Structures are given as structure tokens and as C-alpha cells.
Amino acid sequence: MSHSTSNSNHDMDRLDRSTSTTPKDYNDGMGVQIQTFDTDQTPVNDLFTNTSHRGLKMRHLQLIAISGAIGSSVFLSIASPLRGGPAALLIGVSLWSTVIWGISNCLVEMCTLLPVEGGFVYYATRFLDPSMGFSLGWNYFICQVSLICGEFTSMNVLIAYWAPDLNPAIVISVGLALLVFVQVFNVRVYGETEFWISIGKIFMIFGAFIFTFIVMVGGNPKHDRYGFRFWKDPGAFAGDTGSDAAQNIWHAVQWAAYGIVGPDYISLVAGEVKNPRRVLPKAFNSTIYRILGFYVGGAFFAGLNAPANDPHLLGSSGAAKSPYIINMNRLGIPYLPSILTAGILISLFSSTSSMAFAASRTLYCMGLEGHAPRFVTRTNKYGLPYICVLVTLGLGCLSFMALGSGSSTVLNWFINLTAATQMITWIAVAASYLRFRAGMKAQGLTNSFLPAKGYFQPWSAWWALFWSPFALMFSGYYFFAPGTFAIPDFLFTYMAVFIFIVLCIGWKIRNVIKFKEGWFGISASEMDFKTGLPELEEMTLQAEEEWKNEPQTKLDKIVNNIF
């Protein structure tokens, strides 16, 4: 056997394989697939049995996914790839968007079958190898903490638009205090906060698109009908050669690898959603619209607002380098730059809150699986893992690094570190899914076993598995040109890879020695497709009954139809 569960504290101990389970599928008539099982149920841990903390509804989940998507990237850091030209930006973002959609198609199948805390981190443990789950969990935790620090550093840069002499420590301290209030008490506080802020974000980004259209056709103080002028002068691609265009497209891909998120947040939130079998498929299937609306649309409209050679785009910092603010200032439009800067600042806080949520739930899942100290699994009366939240926010204090170094330098370090950890996450998700499907095939399970299906599978998974390692491998290609190598930049670009490998090998050796585990992961024939499913099906039946009997106002019906 390639996998052993000989110790009660072992990673997969709780995945009890001794019970004979035969799934019997039926549909409730309302679009939700439910399965019954002939089984002698044995208790399993809180991943499956604790439903007291499931306080998020469909509207919360959809807006949380949006909230994580709209941070500083679509308004601020997008200035960096725009230097390569508007066409290069649009092509690069569109290409990477297909990868993220492929990831979403992988997660929708696994998450609706097993909507538990930890999401894709748990699936790596269950369908790949416990050592992969261990290293992936810590990798993603590092990723989200780095994002938090990066967003706080961006806040410093934004505040400098109004108060260049303000001490960054004040901004970071206020941000951390607000996160404690939103995160540490009740998940519904977080859900409601993100819901309303995210509605504001939607209005802001589509307001920016409408603004762009109005001013480009002449609706501005200068009556300048500039249209697609910047696509012609200085041109759609910066540089003079095809090689320059290719490098600029690749730069846009690298930016998208850092900036485009969403399916991972839905996966992690799945364990705190009411009626996940009804809610999660809608949330994942709407990923394509979020990608097209916020990222591809954002890349297109950003390229209409500023030329690739604009001096502010090339040399300014903070809000002054946003393509939208550059255009507002160029056209002599008052007040709007400050309003947009304030909106971006609120967006930054909201996306930082989503990152803190993702990091804390990842740490909580690792605690339940024995991949982190057990004390992090403590929860309050609302089922919220407050220790994990406090640890996450404590590490967010690394943002104070911006006090000792330039904010832009620190921000670039965090961006590089985050991009690498994101690539590792996407590789693991695609690999977990392919093993998941291999296990289903080996055990005679058909598509009818799945409550929801992804599009173009398994080709979506293979597409993501091709591009993610490719992007990771060549993320720092420019370091190796003569005279460009810098140790800090190299470390922050590739350090996550080395950390992941060391953690994976170390945990594997520990399991082989301590639990006599095999070296080559979980075989398809031994993969566990039953543990926890009876409990999750019972929860689904109960949630469906509550959903049918819950009185709904006209406003509730409108909100449910929208989200």
C-alpha cells in the first residue's frame, strides 16, 4: 500500500476507509443533487460535523469573490504592464484569465462534493499526498500574509497622494485595528462588511469604465475626442521589435498572475457557507463574468486612459500613476482624482480583509489536519477560529518593513513573492483535480457522482497545469541578463519555490519514518471518496428544508435572483 493510516494523529487518520459506503444519487427537484448512503456512520472531525459556523449566504459568497478580485491591481498596479502598450496588456491579461477559469472549473467539482474548511489545501492532502497538503497549506498561508503586507504597503503609497509626510505606521496601525474588528468576532460581520463594500466596488469599477467612455468621445473640459489615440500614438505595443512585444505581453501575464484571484477564495469560504450544494455552483460558474468584467475589461479601459510612454506612468508613485487619475489630471477634471483615490483605499482594505479571512481559514484547516499546532483550532461561540485570525493579523505587522525601506521597493518584493506562491497554488489545484478524476475512474465512479461539473474537463485542468509551472519558471527570466542580477529580487521571486520543496520533502520523510507511509502518494484505487459524505449529505438535506421553508420578502427574492 502506498498510504497508511496507522496512527490517530496521522494526516489522513480521520479518513476512515473501513466503512462500506454505497452512494445512491437523486435530485431534489430543485437543481440540487443529494446522495444517500448505506453505511454505519462513524464520527469524523469538525470539518464535516460542525455546521454552527456556516453563516454565509449566496449574496455574501458572490460579493466576497468580487471583493477579493477588486483591490489595488485593476486601478493602481496595472500601470506597470501598461508601459508595454495597451494591446500587450490586454493580450496578457486575457491569456492568464483562461488559466484562472480553468482553475475554477477544477474547484467547482471538488468543492461541491466536499465543501469543507481549507478547500483546495484539504483536497491536496486527500487526493495527492499529505506532504503536498502540508506544504501547500503553508505556501498559501505565506501567500495571503504577503498579500496583506503588500496591500498595507499600497495603502501607504495611496495616502501619500494627500499626505506625503504622514508616517506609514499610522496607516498600518489603523488598518490592522479595523481588520481585528471585522475578522475576530463573527463571520457574519465579515460577510456583511464585504457585501456592502463590494457593492461599492462594483459601482466604482463600472463607474470608471463609464467615465472612460464619456471622456474619450469628448465629454471632458477640453472637449478632446481622443478615442483610441493611445493605441496609435505611441502605439499598441511599446518597443520596436517583435521580441519587445513578446516581452511586454509576458510582463502583462506576470502581472495577471499576481492580480487575478477569486476561485481560491470561494474554495476556502465553502466550509462556512449555508447550503453549499446550492450556492457554490453558481458562485464558481460566475467566475467567467468576474474575469471578463473586472480584469479583461479593466485591462481594456486602462489602455484607453493613458499612453504607454506617459511620464507619470513611468516615473510617479502611488495614486498619481493610476491610468484613470493620469487621464483625469490631463483633462483638467477636478475632484474626481481624490474621490477615486478614496475608493481605491476602501477597496484595498476590503481585499486585505478577504486575504486575512483566507489566511486564517487556511491555518485553521492545517490545525485540524495536524499540519499546524493544535491550539490554532480554538474557536469562539460562533465557530470562528479567532486564534488563527490573531496569528494572521500579527504577521500582518510585517508591513512595518515599509518604515525601513522605500514603500515601492517593499511592495515589489511582496508582489514577487506572492506571484510565486500563487503559481504553486494553481499547480497544486490542477494536479489535485487530475488525481481526483483518476481516482473516480479507478473506482468506477461516473460524472453522476458529482453534484456539479466543470466546463471542458479534463482539458481545463491540463491547460492550467501547463501554464502555471511555465509562468513560475520564467517569472524571473530578466534576472539572468548581464548586470541585472539582484539577490533580494531573486529571493523574493523564487524563495516560495524553495520553501515549498523543503516543506514537502521534510513532511514526507517524517511520515515515511513515523507512519511507514509510502513514497509515492495516494494511489487512485485507494483514494477516499466516502469519508464525510454522509454528514455533508445530511447537512444538505437540512439546509434544503430550511431554504424551502424560510419566508422570503420581495427584497430577498430580488437579491437571490441577482446573486
Side-chain angles (χ1 to χ4, degrees):
M1 291 178 62
S2 62
H3 184 67
S4 172
T5 57
S6 58
N7 185 292
S8 61
N9 292 323
H10 191 22
D11 304 85
M12 304 294 289
D13 239 359
R14 54 187 176 73
L15 302 183
D16 179 15
R17 304 171 188 274
S18 62
T19 306
S20 175
T21 305
T22 304
K24 299 179 180 179
D25 301 342
Y26 71 91
N27 192 289
D28 71 339
M30 302 294 289
V32 176
Q33 179 178 314
I34 302 170
Q35 300 172 2
T36 59
F37 293 83
D38 295 329
T39 178
D40 296 324
Q41 295 185 23
T42 56
V44 289
N45 74 7
D46 284 351
L47 275 173
F48 306 105
T49 59
N50 182 13
T51 60
S52 63
H53 62 300
R54 291 185 179 267
L56 298 179
K57 300 180 179 180
M58 182 60 172
R59 62 184 180 91
H60 294 136
L61 187 59
Q62 288 282 25
L63 272 298
I64 285 170
I66 291 172
S67 180
I70 307 176
S72 63
S73 57
V74 292
F75 291 105
L76 192 59
S77 66
I78 200 171
S80 179
L82 181 54
R83 297 171 188 169
L89 172 63
L90 184 59
I91 293 171
V93 171
S94 299
L95 173 60
W96 194 255
S97 293
T98 63
V99 177
I100 302 302
W101 188 47
I103 293 295
S104 180
N105 289 331
C106 295
L107 287 173
V108 65
E109 296 188 7
M110 294 187 290
C111 279
T112 50
L113 180 67
L114 294 167
V116 298
E117 297 277 7
F120 58 85
V121 177
Y122 174 75
Y123 308 141
T125 298
R126 185 157 175 166
F127 301 118
L128 276 177
D129 188 275
S131 62
M132 287 291 292
F134 173 79
S135 52
L136 178 63
W138 284 108
N139 169 83
Y140 192 75
F141 181 72
I142 292 170
C143 172
Q144 295 306 303
V145 170
S146 299
L147 280 169
I148 292 169
C149 296
E151 297 293 75
F152 275 133
T153 305
S154 295
M155 289 183 193
N156 293 329
V157 177
L158 275 176
I159 291 291
Y161 183 78
W162 297 305
D165 298 326
L166 183 66
N167 191 324
I170 297 175
V171 179
I172 296 171
S173 300
V174 171
L176 286 170
L178 289 173
L179 281 183
V180 170
F181 173 76
V182 171
Q183 292 281 335
V184 85
F185 299 111
N186 189 330
V187 70
R188 292 185 182 180
V189 174
Y190 164 72
E192 288 296 329
T193 302
E194 289 304 297
F195 177 79
W196 293 107
I197 292 180
S198 295
I199 288 177
K201 285 184 177 185
I202 293 173
F203 280 110
M204 183 175 70
I205 195 166
F206 284 110
F209 295 169
I210 294 170
F211 158 82
T212 302
F213 176 76
I214 291 174
V215 298
M216 70 184 289
V217 297
N220 58 73
K222 293 185 177 181
H223 305 291
D224 179 12
R225 298 182 181 180
Y226 62 89
F228 284 81
R229 179 189 303 161
F230 304 139
W231 280 67
K232 299 176 182 178
D233 182 22
F237 296 94
D240 301 321
T241 66
S243 176
D244 292 333
Q247 289 189 51
N248 291 328
I249 291 173
W250 185 246
H251 186 199
V253 168
Q254 290 179 297
W255 173 84
Y258 159 77
I260 302 182
V261 295
D264 48 333
Y265 289 162
I266 300 175
S267 171
L268 290 169
V269 172
E272 306 203 33
V273 173
K274 286 185 175 181
N275 204 347
R277 292 278 169 83
R278 178 172 295 278
V279 169
L280 289 173
K282 288 184 178 180
F284 279 111
N285 290 335
S286 64
T287 296
I288 185 65
Y289 305 114
R290 285 192 294 274
I291 289 173
L292 290 174
F294 302 137
Y295 293 114
V296 178
F300 174 72
F301 283 100
L304 298 175
N305 275 278
N309 60 356
D310 187 280
H312 296 285
L313 200 68
L314 297 172
S316 298
S317 62
K321 71 187 300 181
S322 168
Y324 299 97
I325 291 179
I326 288 173
N327 206 20
M328 292 171 186
N329 290 331
R330 182 182 70 84
L331 296 172
I333 300 174
Y335 308 119
L336 277 184
S338 290
I339 294 173
L340 181 59
T341 301
I344 297 173
L345 194 61
I346 295 172
S347 295
L348 278 172
F349 171 77
S350 175
S351 57
T352 304
S353 183
S354 293
M355 295 158 191
F357 184 95
S360 61
R361 279 15 178 221
T362 302
L363 184 60
Y364 179 63
C365 173
M366 290 192 293
L368 291 176
E369 294 187 342
H371 294 170
R374 189 68 185 176
F375 75 88
V376 301
T377 61
R378 295 175 185 171
T379 59
N380 62 16
K381 64 180 180 179
Y382 301 108
L384 187 144
Y386 66 95
I387 297 293
C388 294
V389 173
L390 294 175
V391 169
T392 299
L393 298 184
L395 291 173
C397 292
L398 291 172
S399 307
F400 288 105
M401 288 171 59
L403 300 179
S405 304
S407 292
S408 59
T409 302
V410 174
L411 181 58
N412 287 333
W413 286 349
F414 283 126
I415 287 174
N416 289 337
L417 179 61
T418 300
T421 53
Q422 288 280 42
M423 294 306 97
I424 293 170
T425 297
W426 302 146
I427 293 169
V429 169
S432 298
Y433 175 79
L434 290 170
R435 291 300 300 158
F436 168 80
R437 295 293 298 206
M440 286 182 57
K441 182 178 180 180
Q443 298 181 32
L445 299 172
T446 64
N447 284 343
S448 62
F449 178 70
L450 300 173
K453 287 83 177 175
Y455 294 99
F456 305 113
Q457 291 292 20
W459 306 114
S460 287
W462 284 113
W463 179 255
L465 193 57
F466 168 78
W467 278 107
S468 298
F470 185 83
L472 176 61
M473 184 183 306
F474 292 101
S475 59
Y477 73 95
Y478 52 89
F479 291 150
F480 303 102
T484 62
F485 185 81
I487 292 177
D489 292 341
F490 176 81
L491 289 177
F492 274 90
T493 299
Y494 290 109
M495 183 169 58
V497 179
F498 302 129
I499 293 174
F500 181 84
I501 293 173
V502 169
L503 289 175
C504 188
I505 294 175
W507 197 254
K508 169 56 72 175
I509 293 173
R510 173 253 191 194
N511 285 350
V512 169
I513 294 174
K514 191 173 183 178
F515 303 114
K516 309 302 180 184
E517 182 182 284
W519 284 101
F520 302 106
I522 306 168
S523 68
S525 60
E526 293 178 351
M527 219 167 275
D528 182 7
F529 286 97
K530 61 189 179 183
T531 298
L533 283 182
E535 291 76 15
L536 290 170
E537 302 302 334
E538 183 179 349
M539 178 197 70
T540 300
L541 285 169
Q542 182 179 350
E544 282 296 296
E545 286 299 316
E546 292 177 358
W547 182 81
K548 292 175 184 176
N549 297 326
E550 184 178 2
Q552 290 189 335
T553 64
K554 290 184 178 180
L555 178 61
D556 290 331
K557 293 179 180 178
I558 293 173
V559 170
N560 288 335
N561 287 331
I562 294 174
F563 299 110

